[in-house]
């Protein structure tokens, strides 16, 4: 199964993706993680990306598509994947569509984790203490939320129009949310 996970920063995508990985035995492809690895490795791309990430802006569509193509071409992605952090705007959604059409591997399910913004800000503040991410300061988080509302929310509509979008309530504890997701995946795998 090829799954796209959608949701605001701090909506719990990464946490739920980790549970889904175990449940479905599919690789978790997080563009945020791919970028952070590039930054850590000190590659050219990583250095260029870091400044953008630290402002809470989006890295250019070209760079992202290159990174994603490289990752999707690895053998472990052939049997499906859980994509987290991509697409983040409609141009990326269209590019992904084109790429997967070419590979004859279209997205099966777009899963939106729906959360309350206040809750998300609380969660990120907590994560900032635990992980020390340089883009988790209040000002940058506010900008990430704005970028999400302006650029990423239209992606939800994009998948709704394809009739593969399901909205899951992201409130409650981790396992409650995961049970909801499992229910959705069960239905999708039977259809
Ligand atoms: P979040 O918690 O905001 O969902 P991620 O770990 O997914 O965080 O991403 C962190 C940052 O990496 C983003 O704010 C953005 O700068 C960059 N990034 C990740 N994925 C993409 C993408 N598909 N397109 C552009 N930039 C991206």
């Amino acid at each position: 199964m090829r799954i796209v996970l959608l949701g605001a920063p701090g909506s719990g995508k990464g946490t739920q993706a980790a549970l889904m990985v175990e449940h479905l035995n599919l690789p978790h492809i997080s563009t945020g993680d791919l970028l952070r690895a590039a930054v850590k490795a000190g590659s050219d791309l990583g250095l260029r990306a870091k400044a953008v990430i630290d402002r809470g802006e989006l890295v250019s569509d070209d760079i992202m598509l290159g990174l994603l193509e490289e990752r999707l071409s690895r053998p472990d992605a052939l049997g499906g994947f859980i994509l987290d952090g991509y697409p983040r705007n409609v141009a990326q959604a269209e590019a992904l569509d084109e790429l997967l059409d070419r590979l004859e591997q279209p997205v099966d399910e777009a899963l939106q984790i729906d959360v309350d913004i206040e809750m998300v800000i609380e969660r990120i503040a907590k994560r900032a203490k635990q992980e020390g991410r340089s883009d988790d300061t209040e000002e940058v988080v506010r900008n990430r939320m704005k970028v999400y509302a302006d650029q990423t929310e239209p992606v939800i509509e994009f998948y709704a129009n394809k009739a593969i979008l399901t909205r899951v309530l992201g409130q409650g504890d981790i396992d409650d949310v995961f049970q909801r997701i499992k229910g959705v995946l069960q239905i999708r795998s039977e259809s």
Side-chain angles (χ1 to χ4, degrees), residues 13 31 36 57 59 64 85-86 88 92 127 144:
K13 287 190 311 269
T31 49
R36 282 185 287 275
E57 308 282 336
V59 174
M64 292 314 299
Y86 193 100
R88 259 184 158 84
Q92 291 186 1
R127 181 171 77 185
R144 280 159 57 204

Side-chain angles (χ1 to χ4, degrees), residues 2-43:
R2 289 169 295 273
I3 302 166
V4 166
L5 265 183
L6 300 168
S11 60
K13 287 190 311 269
T15 305
Q16 294 302 326
L19 295 170
M20 290 163 72
V21 162
E22 263 180 63
H23 179 63
L24 299 168
N25 200 20
L26 292 173
H28 173 204
I29 301 181
S30 154
T31 49
D33 288 349
L34 290 176
L35 285 169
R36 282 185 287 275
V39 170
K40 209 168 162 200
S43 67

Side-chain angles (χ1 to χ4, degrees), residues 159-172:
Y159 288 111
N161 287 336
K162 288 181 172 294
I164 55 172
L165 180 86
T166 314
R167 189 174 308 227
V168 162
L169 186 66
Q171 243 95 307

Side-chain angles (χ1 to χ4, degrees), residues 7-11 13-14 30-36 49-50 52-61 64-65 84-89 92 124 127 133 135-136 140 144-145 147-148:
S11 60
K13 287 190 311 269
S30 154
T31 49
D33 288 349
L34 290 176
L35 285 169
R36 282 185 287 275
K50 186 173 188 328
V52 179
I53 294 170
D54 285 349
R55 288 196 303 269
E57 308 282 336
L58 296 184
V59 174
S60 84
D61 290 350
M64 292 314 299
L65 190 61
D84 162 10
Y86 193 100
R88 259 184 158 84
N89 60 32
Q92 291 186 1
I124 294 183
R127 181 171 77 185
R133 263 174 58 166
D135 61 346
D136 274 350
V140 178
R144 280 159 57 204
M145 292 300 177
V147 168
Y148 179 80

Side-chain angles (χ1 to χ4, degrees), residues 5-169:
L5 265 183
L6 300 168
S11 60
K13 287 190 311 269
T15 305
Q16 294 302 326
L19 295 170
M20 290 163 72
V21 162
E22 263 180 63
H23 179 63
L24 299 168
N25 200 20
L26 292 173
H28 173 204
I29 301 181
S30 154
T31 49
D33 288 349
L34 290 176
L35 285 169
R36 282 185 287 275
V39 170
K40 209 168 162 200
S43 67
D44 240 24
L45 183 154
L47 291 178
R48 269 184 292 148
K50 186 173 188 328
V52 179
I53 294 170
D54 285 349
R55 288 196 303 269
E57 308 282 336
L58 296 184
V59 174
S60 84
D61 290 350
D62 283 357
I63 290 182
M64 292 314 299
L65 190 61
L67 262 185
L68 188 71
E69 264 196 273
E70 192 277 320
R71 181 63 189 87
L72 288 177
S73 69
R74 287 191 226 157
D76 67 334
L78 278 176
F81 49 79
I82 299 158
L83 187 56
D84 162 10
Y86 193 100
R88 259 184 158 84
N89 60 32
V90 171
Q92 291 186 1
E94 282 164 353
L96 178 66
D97 227 33
E98 216 169 273
L99 171 64
L100 294 180
D101 271 355
R102 223 183 319 127
L103 301 172
E104 295 182 5
Q105 297 186 355
V107 173
D108 300 300
E109 171 70 38
L111 201 63
Q112 181 205 351
I113 304 184
D114 202 6
V115 287
D116 176 81
I117 291 297
E118 284 309 309
M119 188 185 79
V120 148
I121 289 171
E122 230 173 79
R123 273 189 188 167
I124 294 183
K126 208 166 139 198
R127 181 171 77 185
K129 278 193 207 133
Q130 288 163 353
E131 295 177 11
R133 263 174 58 166
S134 58
D135 61 346
D136 274 350
T137 63
E138 200 185 323
E139 196 191 338
V140 178
V141 168
R142 212 172 289 132
N143 197 32
R144 280 159 57 204
M145 292 300 177
K146 182 175 173 349
V147 168
Y148 179 80
D150 293 347
Q151 303 193 46
T152 311
E153 265 179 1
V155 172
I156 293 168
E157 186 76 19
F158 178 92
Y159 288 111
N161 287 336
K162 288 181 172 294
I164 55 172
L165 180 86
T166 314
R167 189 174 308 227
V168 162
L169 186 66

